[in-house]
Structure formats: C-alpha cells, structure tokens
Amino acid sequence: MRASLMALVAAAGWTIAFAAVSPAMADCKIGLVAELPLDPNRDVPVAEGEINGQPARFLIDTGSSWTMIVREEALKRHLAMARVKGVTVFGVGGQQEAFGGTVRSLKVGNLVATNVQVIASGPSKGSSDVAVVLGEDALSEFDVEFDLANHFIRFFKPQGCSPDQLVYWNKPYSQASLLDTDRDSPSVRLPVALNGKRVEAVLSSGTSISLVDSTAADLVGAKPDAGATSEILHGSGKAPTTLTTSHFANFALGDESIGHVRIWVAPFASQLEQPDATSFIHHSVTNDPTRTMLVGADFLRAHRVMVAHREHVVVFSYSGGPVFGLPTRADPSSGAGQTANMTGVATPP
C-alpha cells in the first residue's frame, strides 16, 4: 500500500528558480528559491496558487506526509479521480478514503509541477477554501522558513551553511536536531520534553493549535484544568474529537524552555493506530505511546523558524506572544462544546 502511495507522489518534479541572499559569512550561500505571501487573516499558513492554471489556495502543512488535493475541490474542478484500492488516509478524527488522478499543473509562487499524480482526500462537501495541502514530500526538498508574524514562508537551498548561519535575521535563537523520519511517511519530528520527560513530537504547521495526546499527557503527569471548557476539533478524519486543556510544569524544545504552560489535550493517537495508516504520526504511535504531540501553528506564530531539512536541525527565535494558543471568552469559537475547525480544511456542517 505504501508503495502505491509513494508512486502517486513521487511523480511531482518541482522546478525552481534561484535568487541570491547575502549572508554575513562569505562561505555560506543561502539560495532563496521562493517567498510565499500568506493570508494574514488565517491562523495557519495559506498561500495563493493554481491548479491547471486556475486560482487555488494552498495550505502549507508539515503535518501532512503527502501533497493532496481536497476532494471537494477536485469535484468542483471536474478533476478525474478514482478510488485507490488499498490506500486510506488517516489523521486526527480517523480515516478518509483516498482517490487518485493526474493534474496538468500545480503552482504556488514560482514552484511548479506538471503532469502530477496526486491523492485526493477529505470531505466531498463542506465550506473549505483550501484546494491543495502542500505536504512534507514537497517541503522536505527545501529548507523552509516560517515567518508567520510577517505573513511569509520562504524556501531555501543553502550551500555550505552551518545552522547558526541560517539565522540570517540576526536574533538570538534556539536549536534542536530533527529526529529521523521514515521516507515512506515523511514528517518533521522534534525531540520535545514535557515535564522533563521525552515526547517525540511532529511539527504540524497546518494545525492552528498544538495538541498533546491524552495518554501522553497522563504519562508525563499533566494536570487537567479544573472546570476547563471543551472544544470540538475537526481534523482530517471524519469524526470530531473533544479537546480539553491541561497544565504542564514545563515544555522544552532544544535549549528553549517554558514553564507552567497550558496546552490542548485530545485522545487522537488511538485514531491513528491502524496497520495501514499513511498518516504522518503512524510510526510514532506504534513504536512508543509517548510520541504523540503535534507542535502547531501557534508555536510558529510566536517564533521565526527555519526547518533545515538538509542540515537536519530546526533553528528558531522567539518573536513574542503566547506560544500555545488557548481560547478566551472574547473569542466566539471558544464556548464550551462549540465546534472549532483547527485545520485549514473545513468539514461539512
């Protein structure tokens, strides 16, 4: 099954145009490939692009192993898609059927792919304005900078650069090594510590908030918030998931440590424990039940981040604001038991 999925995504050959950035140290050449302006009104990184020459919105999602077209959009655009036997897409909320087909072209910024075999998944009806999820299969070809405070994502092809030279914005920074990932299920895996205990997290830029699986929260001794309100999370699967908040004495990534934080908790790992799962977190779940945290776009909004795939590190500078997003009563979507869409892909009402 994984071989079939790989065949569908491997045909996308991204052509690039280089521009020069002048770093402080002459031996390092940071090749700027593309700069994508982002929608300033979204909590997740969404950029304008094209499918077959027609306007389309792209969600830039390190939490998706594969680049996919939202099925609703494939139907609207009359793209020929057929059910792919033996392939099911798993995510928070459970599973979705997978459909496959070929599109003439995908374009976002100056990144272009032609005659692309793609997976289509997600709801067939809804209110989504995202057409394409640009996943880690494409993103891992570059070093990717998340500058969400200024509403940009940048793609680089550095040459001869050390990790400290990648922090070209000249701010104090923290650094963490990326963990190994499965080539059949690529992801950005991070060595996080919660309450001093290791949790192998996944960076999920397409999820607006960070999440800790409820089993992992219990294992590290998190304390559920007394009287906390709940939210209903709609992820990439069909079923909604209930969220609550818990208090953690400490969160650490690399040499950045934050004390006394509240983070959303949800029982999402069990939804991914399937032998044929193609989800980004499948291998983590089956190997170690504590590898169940999603570091979301809230963390990225509070930092300037370079995910250096080539150098196998992530470097990041704190920009300001809360690191983990939590609702307030002033937020109309934060009432107890109300439905909250935490991803860039909407679900049916």
Side-chain angles (χ1 to χ4, degrees):
M1 181 213 64
R2 290 196 184 101
S4 299
L5 185 57
M6 283 295 292
L8 285 170
V9 300
W14 292 88
T15 60
I16 58 178
F18 283 86
V21 174
S22 298
M25 303 180 187
D27 291 340
C28 170
K29 296 181 179 179
I30 305 180
L32 177 62
V33 177
E35 181 179 72
L36 304 184
L38 303 176
D39 184 343
N41 298 314
R42 298 296 293 265
D43 288 336
V44 290
V46 174
E48 298 296 331
E50 296 178 0
I51 300 175
N52 293 342
Q54 299 300 312
R57 309 199 86 195
F58 283 61
L59 172 67
I60 315 302
D61 188 8
T62 56
S64 177
S65 292
W66 313 113
T67 296
M68 296 187 291
I69 292 181
V70 177
R71 187 172 174 232
E72 175 194 5
E73 287 292 322
L75 294 173
K76 286 180 180 178
R77 296 166 188 268
H78 305 290
L79 303 177
M81 295 284 165
R83 178 75 172 92
V84 181
K85 294 182 179 179
V87 176
T88 302
V89 177
F90 283 79
V92 175
Q95 67 185 56
Q96 293 276 6
E97 293 179 322
F99 298 79
T102 302
V103 297
R104 293 193 306 276
S105 66
L106 292 177
K107 179 179 180 182
V108 58
N110 57 326
L111 303 178
V112 180
T114 56
N115 297 320
V116 191
Q117 291 180 300
V118 296
I119 285 285
S121 190
S124 60
K125 294 182 179 180
S127 56
S128 175
D129 64 348
V130 168
V132 180
V133 178
L134 188 65
E136 187 62 14
D137 59 319
L139 300 175
S140 61
E141 296 295 320
F142 310 97
D143 285 3
V144 182
E145 179 196 351
F146 291 88
D147 184 10
L148 300 194
N150 294 307
H151 312 300
F152 285 101
I153 283 180
R154 301 179 182 94
F155 296 80
F156 296 92
K157 287 275 192 178
Q159 297 179 7
C161 299
S162 60
D164 61 308
Q165 291 173 301
L166 298 176
V167 191
Y168 69 92
W169 51 86
N170 295 323
K171 297 288 185 181
Y173 71 95
S174 298
Q175 177 178 323
S177 297
L178 297 180
L179 302 175
D180 291 338
T181 186
D182 191 317
R183 68 176 185 176
D184 289 346
S185 186
S187 61
V188 179
R189 296 178 60 203
L190 304 171
V192 165
L194 293 172
N195 294 350
K197 298 179 181 179
R198 180 183 171 114
V199 173
E200 295 187 9
V202 172
L203 182 66
S204 183
S205 59
T207 305
S208 65
I209 56 168
S210 297
L211 291 172
V212 178
D213 180 69
S214 54
T215 300
D218 290 341
L219 287 172
V220 303
K223 297 181 179 180
D225 286 343
T229 60
S230 62
E231 297 275 0
I232 304 301
L233 165 67
H234 284 290
S236 57
K238 295 179 180 180
T241 301
T242 301
L243 304 177
T244 57
T245 55
S246 287
H247 175 268
F248 295 81
N250 183 265
F251 165 89
L253 174 60
D255 50 6
E256 178 176 275
S257 180
I258 309 169
H260 302 290
V261 295
R262 293 168 63 219
I263 307 176
W264 286 106
V265 172
F268 63 83
S270 60
Q271 300 163 349
L272 305 173
E273 292 178 336
Q274 301 290 337
D276 292 332
T278 59
S279 159
F280 53 82
I281 205 170
H282 167 62
H283 297 287
S284 297
V285 171
T286 56
N287 291 338
D288 184 342
T290 66
R291 298 178 186 177
T292 46
M293 180 177 183
L294 305 183
V295 177
D298 48 0
F299 181 91
L300 296 174
R301 290 191 296 271
H303 297 82
R304 191 162 179 174
V305 179
M306 181 77 80
V307 179
H309 292 99
R310 288 167 170 253
E311 295 76 19
H312 217 58
V313 299
V314 57
V315 290
F316 51 101
S317 301
Y318 178 66
S319 302
V323 173
F324 298 112
L326 294 170
T328 64
R329 292 192 181 276
D331 182 350
S333 68
S334 65
Q338 290 191 3
T339 298
N341 181 20
M342 303 299 183
T343 70
V345 180
T347 54

PDB file of all heavy atoms in Angstrom, residues 79-115:
ATOM      1  N   LEU A  79     -11.961  17.331 -11.810  1.00  0.00           N
ATOM      2  CA  LEU A  79     -10.744  16.544 -11.991  1.00  0.00           C
ATOM      3  C   LEU A  79     -11.097  15.067 -11.929  1.00  0.00           C
ATOM      4  O   LEU A  79     -11.847  14.632 -11.058  1.00  0.00           O
ATOM      5  CB  LEU A  79      -9.724  16.889 -10.903  1.00  0.00           C
ATOM      6  CG  LEU A  79      -9.308  18.364 -10.799  1.00  0.00           C
ATOM      7  CD1 LEU A  79      -8.343  18.556  -9.634  1.00  0.00           C
ATOM      8  CD2 LEU A  79      -8.676  18.836 -12.107  1.00  0.00           C
ATOM      9  N   ALA A  80     -10.564  14.305 -12.848  1.00  0.00           N
ATOM     10  CA  ALA A  80     -10.852  12.872 -12.896  1.00  0.00           C
ATOM     11  C   ALA A  80     -10.105  12.161 -11.775  1.00  0.00           C
ATOM     12  O   ALA A  80      -8.869  12.110 -11.763  1.00  0.00           O
ATOM     13  CB  ALA A  80     -10.445  12.308 -14.256  1.00  0.00           C
ATOM     14  N   MET A  81     -10.857  11.634 -10.822  1.00  0.00           N
ATOM     15  CA  MET A  81     -10.278  10.942  -9.672  1.00  0.00           C
ATOM     16  C   MET A  81     -10.963   9.596  -9.489  1.00  0.00           C
ATOM     17  O   MET A  81     -12.187   9.506  -9.603  1.00  0.00           O
ATOM     18  CB  MET A  81     -10.435  11.782  -8.402  1.00  0.00           C
ATOM     19  CG  MET A  81      -9.671  13.096  -8.411  1.00  0.00           C
ATOM     20  SD  MET A  81      -7.899  12.841  -8.121  1.00  0.00           S
ATOM     21  CE  MET A  81      -7.268  14.455  -8.644  1.00  0.00           C
ATOM     22  N   ALA A  82     -10.181   8.566  -9.207  1.00  0.00           N
ATOM     23  CA  ALA A  82     -10.723   7.229  -8.984  1.00  0.00           C
ATOM     24  C   ALA A  82     -10.259   6.720  -7.621  1.00  0.00           C
ATOM     25  O   ALA A  82      -9.157   7.046  -7.168  1.00  0.00           O
ATOM     26  CB  ALA A  82     -10.260   6.274 -10.083  1.00  0.00           C
ATOM     27  N   ARG A  83     -11.113   5.934  -6.975  1.00  0.00           N
ATOM     28  CA  ARG A  83     -10.770   5.360  -5.681  1.00  0.00           C
ATOM     29  C   ARG A  83      -9.503   4.518  -5.815  1.00  0.00           C
ATOM     30  O   ARG A  83      -9.385   3.695  -6.728  1.00  0.00           O
ATOM     31  CB  ARG A  83     -11.920   4.488  -5.184  1.00  0.00           C
ATOM     32  CG  ARG A  83     -11.666   3.790  -3.862  1.00  0.00           C
ATOM     33  CD  ARG A  83     -11.773   4.745  -2.696  1.00  0.00           C
ATOM     34  NE  ARG A  83     -11.721   4.042  -1.426  1.00  0.00           N
ATOM     35  CZ  ARG A  83     -10.616   3.814  -0.728  1.00  0.00           C
ATOM     36  NH1 ARG A  83      -9.447   4.218  -1.191  1.00  0.00           N
ATOM     37  NH2 ARG A  83     -10.671   3.188   0.424  1.00  0.00           N
ATOM     38  N   VAL A  84      -8.544   4.749  -4.914  1.00  0.00           N
ATOM     39  CA  VAL A  84      -7.294   3.997  -4.927  1.00  0.00           C
ATOM     40  C   VAL A  84      -7.435   2.832  -3.960  1.00  0.00           C
ATOM     41  O   VAL A  84      -7.534   3.040  -2.741  1.00  0.00           O
ATOM     42  CB  VAL A  84      -6.100   4.877  -4.522  1.00  0.00           C
ATOM     43  CG1 VAL A  84      -4.808   4.067  -4.579  1.00  0.00           C
ATOM     44  CG2 VAL A  84      -6.006   6.093  -5.439  1.00  0.00           C
ATOM     45  N   LYS A  85      -7.467   1.631  -4.471  1.00  0.00           N
ATOM     46  CA  LYS A  85      -7.657   0.451  -3.641  1.00  0.00           C
ATOM     47  C   LYS A  85      -6.439   0.241  -2.743  1.00  0.00           C
ATOM     48  O   LYS A  85      -5.296   0.364  -3.181  1.00  0.00           O
ATOM     49  CB  LYS A  85      -7.890  -0.780  -4.512  1.00  0.00           C
ATOM     50  CG  LYS A  85      -9.183  -0.736  -5.312  1.00  0.00           C
ATOM     51  CD  LYS A  85      -9.382  -2.008  -6.120  1.00  0.00           C
ATOM     52  CE  LYS A  85     -10.687  -1.968  -6.907  1.00  0.00           C
ATOM     53  NZ  LYS A  85     -10.882  -3.198  -7.713  1.00  0.00           N
ATOM     54  N   GLY A  86      -6.703  -0.070  -1.492  1.00  0.00           N
ATOM     55  CA  GLY A  86      -5.628  -0.379  -0.560  1.00  0.00           C
ATOM     56  C   GLY A  86      -4.975   0.827   0.074  1.00  0.00           C
ATOM     57  O   GLY A  86      -4.033   0.678   0.848  1.00  0.00           O
ATOM     58  N   VAL A  87      -5.447   2.041  -0.245  1.00  0.00           N
ATOM     59  CA  VAL A  87      -4.865   3.250   0.334  1.00  0.00           C
ATOM     60  C   VAL A  87      -5.944   3.989   1.105  1.00  0.00           C
ATOM     61  O   VAL A  87      -7.011   4.301   0.563  1.00  0.00           O
ATOM     62  CB  VAL A  87      -4.267   4.175  -0.747  1.00  0.00           C
ATOM     63  CG1 VAL A  87      -3.752   5.461  -0.119  1.00  0.00           C
ATOM     64  CG2 VAL A  87      -3.147   3.464  -1.486  1.00  0.00           C
ATOM     65  N   THR A  88      -5.682   4.252   2.369  1.00  0.00           N
ATOM     66  CA  THR A  88      -6.577   5.027   3.221  1.00  0.00           C
ATOM     67  C   THR A  88      -5.757   6.084   3.931  1.00  0.00           C
ATOM     68  O   THR A  88      -4.655   5.814   4.404  1.00  0.00           O
ATOM     69  CB  THR A  88      -7.274   4.127   4.261  1.00  0.00           C
ATOM     70  OG1 THR A  88      -7.997   3.100   3.577  1.00  0.00           O
ATOM     71  CG2 THR A  88      -8.247   4.936   5.113  1.00  0.00           C
ATOM     72  N   VAL A  89      -6.261   7.303   3.985  1.00  0.00           N
ATOM     73  CA  VAL A  89      -5.568   8.400   4.645  1.00  0.00           C
ATOM     74  C   VAL A  89      -6.093   8.525   6.069  1.00  0.00           C
ATOM     75  O   VAL A  89      -7.296   8.694   6.290  1.00  0.00           O
ATOM     76  CB  VAL A  89      -5.765   9.722   3.878  1.00  0.00           C
ATOM     77  CG1 VAL A  89      -5.086  10.873   4.616  1.00  0.00           C
ATOM     78  CG2 VAL A  89      -5.192   9.596   2.470  1.00  0.00           C
ATOM     79  N   PHE A  90      -5.182   8.435   7.041  1.00  0.00           N
ATOM     80  CA  PHE A  90      -5.548   8.550   8.446  1.00  0.00           C
ATOM     81  C   PHE A  90      -5.072   9.883   8.993  1.00  0.00           C
ATOM     82  O   PHE A  90      -4.025  10.394   8.614  1.00  0.00           O
ATOM     83  CB  PHE A  90      -4.927   7.408   9.273  1.00  0.00           C
ATOM     84  CG  PHE A  90      -5.632   6.098   9.119  1.00  0.00           C
ATOM     85  CD1 PHE A  90      -5.408   5.313   8.004  1.00  0.00           C
ATOM     86  CD2 PHE A  90      -6.525   5.653  10.061  1.00  0.00           C
ATOM     87  CE1 PHE A  90      -6.060   4.102   7.845  1.00  0.00           C
ATOM     88  CE2 PHE A  90      -7.170   4.438   9.925  1.00  0.00           C
ATOM     89  CZ  PHE A  90      -6.939   3.665   8.803  1.00  0.00           C
ATOM     90  N   GLY A  91      -5.825  10.423   9.932  1.00  0.00           N
ATOM     91  CA  GLY A  91      -5.446  11.656  10.605  1.00  0.00           C
ATOM     92  C   GLY A  91      -6.264  11.812  11.854  1.00  0.00           C
ATOM     93  O   GLY A  91      -6.992  10.902  12.260  1.00  0.00           O
ATOM     94  N   VAL A  92      -6.132  12.980  12.496  1.00  0.00           N
ATOM     95  CA  VAL A  92      -6.935  13.259  13.679  1.00  0.00           C
ATOM     96  C   VAL A  92      -8.405  13.213  13.283  1.00  0.00           C
ATOM     97  O   VAL A  92      -8.833  13.876  12.344  1.00  0.00           O
ATOM     98  CB  VAL A  92      -6.583  14.634  14.271  1.00  0.00           C
ATOM     99  CG1 VAL A  92      -7.508  14.967  15.438  1.00  0.00           C
ATOM    100  CG2 VAL A  92      -5.131  14.652  14.726  1.00  0.00           C
ATOM    101  N   GLY A  93      -9.185  12.410  13.965  1.00  0.00           N
ATOM    102  CA  GLY A  93     -10.586  12.220  13.617  1.00  0.00           C
ATOM    103  C   GLY A  93     -10.847  10.936  12.860  1.00  0.00           C
ATOM    104  O   GLY A  93     -11.997  10.637  12.546  1.00  0.00           O
ATOM    105  N   GLY A  94      -9.789  10.164  12.568  1.00  0.00           N
ATOM    106  CA  GLY A  94      -9.996   8.875  11.919  1.00  0.00           C
ATOM    107  C   GLY A  94      -9.520   8.842  10.483  1.00  0.00           C
ATOM    108  O   GLY A  94      -8.528   9.461  10.131  1.00  0.00           O
ATOM    109  N   GLN A  95     -10.265   8.131   9.634  1.00  0.00           N
ATOM    110  CA  GLN A  95      -9.792   7.852   8.295  1.00  0.00           C
ATOM    111  C   GLN A  95     -10.686   8.475   7.228  1.00  0.00           C
ATOM    112  O   GLN A  95     -11.837   8.813   7.462  1.00  0.00           O
ATOM    113  CB  GLN A  95      -9.734   6.341   8.070  1.00  0.00           C
ATOM    114  CG  GLN A  95     -11.109   5.679   8.050  1.00  0.00           C
ATOM    115  CD  GLN A  95     -11.002   4.175   7.948  1.00  0.00           C
ATOM    116  OE1 GLN A  95     -10.363   3.532   8.759  1.00  0.00           O
ATOM    117  NE2 GLN A  95     -11.648   3.615   6.931  1.00  0.00           N
ATOM    118  N   GLN A  96     -10.075   8.654   6.042  1.00  0.00           N
ATOM    119  CA  GLN A  96     -10.790   9.111   4.857  1.00  0.00           C
ATOM    120  C   GLN A  96     -10.356   8.234   3.691  1.00  0.00           C
ATOM    121  O   GLN A  96      -9.219   7.757   3.637  1.00  0.00           O
ATOM    122  CB  GLN A  96     -10.468  10.577   4.538  1.00  0.00           C
ATOM    123  CG  GLN A  96     -10.977  11.584   5.552  1.00  0.00           C
ATOM    124  CD  GLN A  96     -12.437  11.961   5.312  1.00  0.00           C
ATOM    125  OE1 GLN A  96     -13.091  11.384   4.461  1.00  0.00           O
ATOM    126  NE2 GLN A  96     -12.937  12.921   6.069  1.00  0.00           N
ATOM    127  N   GLU A  97     -11.268   8.029   2.756  1.00  0.00           N
ATOM    128  CA  GLU A  97     -10.903   7.300   1.548  1.00  0.00           C
ATOM    129  C   GLU A  97      -9.924   8.121   0.719  1.00  0.00           C
ATOM    130  O   GLU A  97      -9.912   9.347   0.777  1.00  0.00           O
ATOM    131  CB  GLU A  97     -12.151   7.001   0.719  1.00  0.00           C
ATOM    132  CG  GLU A  97     -13.121   6.030   1.368  1.00  0.00           C
ATOM    133  CD  GLU A  97     -14.340   5.807   0.516  1.00  0.00           C
ATOM    134  OE1 GLU A  97     -14.811   6.779  -0.110  1.00  0.00           O
ATOM    135  OE2 GLU A  97     -14.825   4.666   0.474  1.00  0.00           O
ATOM    136  N   ALA A  98      -9.110   7.427  -0.057  1.00  0.00           N
ATOM    137  CA  ALA A  98      -8.145   8.082  -0.929  1.00  0.00           C
ATOM    138  C   ALA A  98      -8.542   7.880  -2.385  1.00  0.00           C
ATOM    139  O   ALA A  98      -8.929   6.778  -2.792  1.00  0.00           O
ATOM    140  CB  ALA A  98      -6.742   7.532  -0.680  1.00  0.00           C
ATOM    141  N   PHE A  99      -8.451   8.950  -3.155  1.00  0.00           N
ATOM    142  CA  PHE A  99      -8.716   8.918  -4.589  1.00  0.00           C
ATOM    143  C   PHE A  99      -7.457   9.391  -5.293  1.00  0.00           C
ATOM    144  O   PHE A  99      -6.666  10.172  -4.748  1.00  0.00           O
ATOM    145  CB  PHE A  99      -9.899   9.816  -4.947  1.00  0.00           C
ATOM    146  CG  PHE A  99     -11.191   9.381  -4.302  1.00  0.00           C
ATOM    147  CD1 PHE A  99     -11.466   9.678  -2.974  1.00  0.00           C
ATOM    148  CD2 PHE A  99     -12.132   8.658  -5.020  1.00  0.00           C
ATOM    149  CE1 PHE A  99     -12.650   9.272  -2.366  1.00  0.00           C
ATOM    150  CE2 PHE A  99     -13.315   8.235  -4.429  1.00  0.00           C
ATOM    151  CZ  PHE A  99     -13.576   8.543  -3.096  1.00  0.00           C
ATOM    152  N   GLY A 100      -7.232   8.921  -6.499  1.00  0.00           N
ATOM    153  CA  GLY A 100      -6.032   9.289  -7.231  1.00  0.00           C
ATOM    154  C   GLY A 100      -6.350   9.765  -8.633  1.00  0.00           C
ATOM    155  O   GLY A 100      -7.367   9.394  -9.223  1.00  0.00           O
ATOM    156  N   GLY A 101      -5.468  10.607  -9.146  1.00  0.00           N
ATOM    157  CA  GLY A 101      -5.625  11.108 -10.502  1.00  0.00           C
ATOM    158  C   GLY A 101      -4.419  11.946 -10.896  1.00  0.00           C
ATOM    159  O   GLY A 101      -3.444  12.050 -10.139  1.00  0.00           O
ATOM    160  N   THR A 102      -4.481  12.535 -12.080  1.00  0.00           N
ATOM    161  CA  THR A 102      -3.389  13.354 -12.600  1.00  0.00           C
ATOM    162  C   THR A 102      -3.903  14.749 -12.909  1.00  0.00           C
ATOM    163  O   THR A 102      -4.978  14.896 -13.507  1.00  0.00           O
ATOM    164  CB  THR A 102      -2.804  12.729 -13.878  1.00  0.00           C
ATOM    165  OG1 THR A 102      -2.342  11.403 -13.594  1.00  0.00           O
ATOM    166  CG2 THR A 102      -1.630  13.556 -14.398  1.00  0.00           C
ATOM    167  N   VAL A 103      -3.151  15.768 -12.494  1.00  0.00           N
ATOM    168  CA  VAL A 103      -3.465  17.143 -12.869  1.00  0.00           C
ATOM    169  C   VAL A 103      -2.349  17.666 -13.772  1.00  0.00           C
ATOM    170  O   VAL A 103      -1.194  17.261 -13.638  1.00  0.00           O
ATOM    171  CB  VAL A 103      -3.635  18.053 -11.629  1.00  0.00           C
ATOM    172  CG1 VAL A 103      -4.803  17.583 -10.782  1.00  0.00           C
ATOM    173  CG2 VAL A 103      -2.360  18.105 -10.804  1.00  0.00           C
ATOM    174  N   ARG A 104      -2.720  18.550 -14.678  1.00  0.00           N
ATOM    175  CA  ARG A 104      -1.739  19.065 -15.639  1.00  0.00           C
ATOM    176  C   ARG A 104      -0.655  19.879 -14.946  1.00  0.00           C
ATOM    177  O   ARG A 104       0.523  19.792 -15.307  1.00  0.00           O
ATOM    178  CB  ARG A 104      -2.434  19.916 -16.702  1.00  0.00           C
ATOM    179  CG  ARG A 104      -3.367  19.137 -17.615  1.00  0.00           C
ATOM    180  CD  ARG A 104      -3.763  19.972 -18.821  1.00  0.00           C
ATOM    181  NE  ARG A 104      -4.329  21.261 -18.432  1.00  0.00           N
ATOM    182  CZ  ARG A 104      -5.594  21.462 -18.108  1.00  0.00           C
ATOM    183  NH1 ARG A 104      -6.450  20.445 -18.124  1.00  0.00           N
ATOM    184  NH2 ARG A 104      -6.033  22.669 -17.785  1.00  0.00           N
ATOM    185  N   SER A 105      -1.056  20.686 -13.952  1.00  0.00           N
ATOM    186  CA  SER A 105      -0.051  21.511 -13.296  1.00  0.00           C
ATOM    187  C   SER A 105      -0.531  21.957 -11.919  1.00  0.00           C
ATOM    188  O   SER A 105      -1.726  22.179 -11.700  1.00  0.00           O
ATOM    189  CB  SER A 105       0.281  22.751 -14.147  1.00  0.00           C
ATOM    190  OG  SER A 105      -0.844  23.610 -14.243  1.00  0.00           O
ATOM    191  N   LEU A 106       0.425  22.068 -11.012  1.00  0.00           N
ATOM    192  CA  LEU A 106       0.241  22.714  -9.718  1.00  0.00           C
ATOM    193  C   LEU A 106       1.286  23.812  -9.619  1.00  0.00           C
ATOM    194  O   LEU A 106       2.452  23.613  -9.974  1.00  0.00           O
ATOM    195  CB  LEU A 106       0.443  21.724  -8.562  1.00  0.00           C
ATOM    196  CG  LEU A 106      -0.582  20.607  -8.368  1.00  0.00           C
ATOM    197  CD1 LEU A 106      -0.141  19.702  -7.220  1.00  0.00           C
ATOM    198  CD2 LEU A 106      -1.968  21.177  -8.096  1.00  0.00           C
ATOM    199  N   LYS A 107       0.876  24.984  -9.125  1.00  0.00           N
ATOM    200  CA  LYS A 107       1.808  26.103  -8.991  1.00  0.00           C
ATOM    201  C   LYS A 107       1.508  26.860  -7.719  1.00  0.00           C
ATOM    202  O   LYS A 107       0.356  27.174  -7.420  1.00  0.00           O
ATOM    203  CB  LYS A 107       1.697  27.053 -10.193  1.00  0.00           C
ATOM    204  CG  LYS A 107       2.643  28.257 -10.104  1.00  0.00           C
ATOM    205  CD  LYS A 107       2.509  29.167 -11.321  1.00  0.00           C
ATOM    206  CE  LYS A 107       3.465  30.348 -11.208  1.00  0.00           C
ATOM    207  NZ  LYS A 107       3.322  31.270 -12.372  1.00  0.00           N
ATOM    208  N   VAL A 108       2.556  27.142  -6.931  1.00  0.00           N
ATOM    209  CA  VAL A 108       2.452  28.040  -5.790  1.00  0.00           C
ATOM    210  C   VAL A 108       3.727  28.864  -5.767  1.00  0.00           C
ATOM    211  O   VAL A 108       4.832  28.320  -5.757  1.00  0.00           O
ATOM    212  CB  VAL A 108       2.222  27.272  -4.474  1.00  0.00           C
ATOM    213  CG1 VAL A 108       3.322  26.285  -4.187  1.00  0.00           C
ATOM    214  CG2 VAL A 108       2.018  28.236  -3.312  1.00  0.00           C
ATOM    215  N   GLY A 109       3.589  30.178  -5.816  1.00  0.00           N
ATOM    216  CA  GLY A 109       4.761  31.020  -6.003  1.00  0.00           C
ATOM    217  C   GLY A 109       5.413  30.671  -7.321  1.00  0.00           C
ATOM    218  O   GLY A 109       4.745  30.547  -8.347  1.00  0.00           O
ATOM    219  N   ASN A 110       6.758  30.489  -7.295  1.00  0.00           N
ATOM    220  CA  ASN A 110       7.437  30.063  -8.519  1.00  0.00           C
ATOM    221  C   ASN A 110       7.836  28.590  -8.457  1.00  0.00           C
ATOM    222  O   ASN A 110       8.740  28.140  -9.149  1.00  0.00           O
ATOM    223  CB  ASN A 110       8.670  30.934  -8.793  1.00  0.00           C
ATOM    224  CG  ASN A 110       9.656  30.938  -7.644  1.00  0.00           C
ATOM    225  OD1 ASN A 110       9.266  30.863  -6.485  1.00  0.00           O
ATOM    226  ND2 ASN A 110      10.938  31.043  -7.951  1.00  0.00           N
ATOM    227  N   LEU A 111       7.135  27.835  -7.624  1.00  0.00           N
ATOM    228  CA  LEU A 111       7.280  26.380  -7.609  1.00  0.00           C
ATOM    229  C   LEU A 111       6.204  25.782  -8.497  1.00  0.00           C
ATOM    230  O   LEU A 111       5.011  26.050  -8.319  1.00  0.00           O
ATOM    231  CB  LEU A 111       7.128  25.842  -6.187  1.00  0.00           C
ATOM    232  CG  LEU A 111       8.078  26.402  -5.131  1.00  0.00           C
ATOM    233  CD1 LEU A 111       7.755  25.803  -3.774  1.00  0.00           C
ATOM    234  CD2 LEU A 111       9.523  26.138  -5.499  1.00  0.00           C
ATOM    235  N   VAL A 112       6.617  24.996  -9.473  1.00  0.00           N
ATOM    236  CA  VAL A 112       5.690  24.462 -10.466  1.00  0.00           C
ATOM    237  C   VAL A 112       5.926  22.964 -10.635  1.00  0.00           C
ATOM    238  O   VAL A 112       7.071  22.509 -10.701  1.00  0.00           O
ATOM    239  CB  VAL A 112       5.865  25.163 -11.832  1.00  0.00           C
ATOM    240  CG1 VAL A 112       4.879  24.598 -12.854  1.00  0.00           C
ATOM    241  CG2 VAL A 112       5.688  26.665 -11.699  1.00  0.00           C
ATOM    242  N   ALA A 113       4.843  22.205 -10.684  1.00  0.00           N
ATOM    243  CA  ALA A 113       4.906  20.782 -11.019  1.00  0.00           C
ATOM    244  C   ALA A 113       3.934  20.535 -12.168  1.00  0.00           C
ATOM    245  O   ALA A 113       2.827  21.078 -12.179  1.00  0.00           O
ATOM    246  CB  ALA A 113       4.537  19.923  -9.815  1.00  0.00           C
ATOM    247  N   THR A 114       4.349  19.725 -13.147  1.00  0.00           N
ATOM    248  CA  THR A 114       3.495  19.428 -14.290  1.00  0.00           C
ATOM    249  C   THR A 114       3.231  17.925 -14.371  1.00  0.00           C
ATOM    250  O   THR A 114       4.061  17.108 -13.962  1.00  0.00           O
ATOM    251  CB  THR A 114       4.141  19.904 -15.600  1.00  0.00           C
ATOM    252  OG1 THR A 114       5.432  19.307 -15.746  1.00  0.00           O
ATOM    253  CG2 THR A 114       4.289  21.426 -15.602  1.00  0.00           C
ATOM    254  N   ASN A 115       2.051  17.591 -14.914  1.00  0.00           N
ATOM    255  CA  ASN A 115       1.618  16.195 -15.049  1.00  0.00           C
ATOM    256  C   ASN A 115       1.810  15.445 -13.733  1.00  0.00           C
ATOM    257  O   ASN A 115       2.550  14.467 -13.631  1.00  0.00           O
ATOM    258  CB  ASN A 115       2.390  15.511 -16.188  1.00  0.00           C
ATOM    259  CG  ASN A 115       2.100  16.146 -17.525  1.00  0.00           C
ATOM    260  OD1 ASN A 115       0.956  16.501 -17.825  1.00  0.00           O
ATOM    261  ND2 ASN A 115       3.137  16.319 -18.334  1.00  0.00           N
TER     262      ASN A 115
END
